[in-house]
Amino acid sequence: MSNQVPNGRAELVEVAQSLDAAGLMPNKSGNVSIRTAGGFVITPAGTPYRDLTASSLFELGNGDTPDLPERKPGVSPFARPSSEWRMHAAIYRAYPSVGAIVHTHSPQATALACAGLGLPPFHYMIALAGGEVRCMPYATFGSAELADHAVRGLEERRATLLANHGVIAVGPTLRVAHAVALEVENLAGQWLALRAAGLQPQLLDTEELARVIEQFAGYGRLG
Ligand SMILES: [Zn+2]
């Protein structure tokens, strides 16, 4: 049993590679993490996803200033955790119910974010994200300011867009965070198509979204 990969690391690698294969992590962008007892495990910076293994992941604490390893023996002298570790740490601190975080630069949602636009509730599947997806203001990647924006964007939501940057999706499990990231990209494509066609769909109201969220919970899609 000693060679078994502990604490969901194998699933993390699988999900990161699957997001990359689906085109949601262009040019080594994005990162994925899961909560652990004392912090979280996160993908490394700048590693091609196809080369990712459970042992190339980094485990960090949830504190304000995690003890960042300068180098990771046996992997690469330049290996470092994702530059967005602050954002992940801040989200885990702010939301105890979050068990996993997926950050992407998925093309369609990022296009919307570059225009400073969020996703309105035009399709019932947005209930996976908890309702309308906000677009939060721009801040430099890796900064504490960006981490603050991400935390605010996730208030009562499981996804937020980050202006001129990308997407954050969260969930109690990695399975859910993964599904939210895929759905946000799908909905962003539909919303861009509607805008390009000059069409204005009818939006769903809060009561209907609450009904859908309840049904999703019944099907186990949210937990
Ligand atoms: Zn990013």
Side-chain angles (χ1 to χ4, degrees), residues 29-31 83-84 87 103-105 141 146 162 165-167:
S29 61
N31 35 67
S83 58
E84 295 293 10
M87 189 160 70
H103 167 52
T104 76
H105 294 183
F141 81 92
L146 183 64
L162 304 168
H165 186 151
V167 183

Side-chain angles (χ1 to χ4, degrees), residues 31-106:
N31 35 67
V32 181
S33 73
I34 50 171
R35 191 191 284 277
T36 60
F40 58 99
V41 169
I42 189 166
T43 45
T47 301
Y49 285 102
R50 66 174 179 278
D51 297 340
L52 201 63
T53 64
S55 60
S56 49
L57 303 173
F58 282 87
E59 182 156 13
L60 303 179
N62 263 344
D64 283 320
T65 51
D67 186 19
L68 280 180
E70 279 300 308
R71 46 180 58 196
K72 185 159 176 158
V75 178
S76 152
F78 305 109
R80 283 170 170 274
S82 162
S83 58
E84 295 293 10
W85 60 267
R86 270 192 195 85
M87 189 160 70
H88 290 248
I91 293 167
Y92 287 122
R93 278 198 306 273
Y95 301 110
S97 62
V98 169
I101 301 172
V102 170
H103 167 52
T104 76
H105 294 183
S106 62

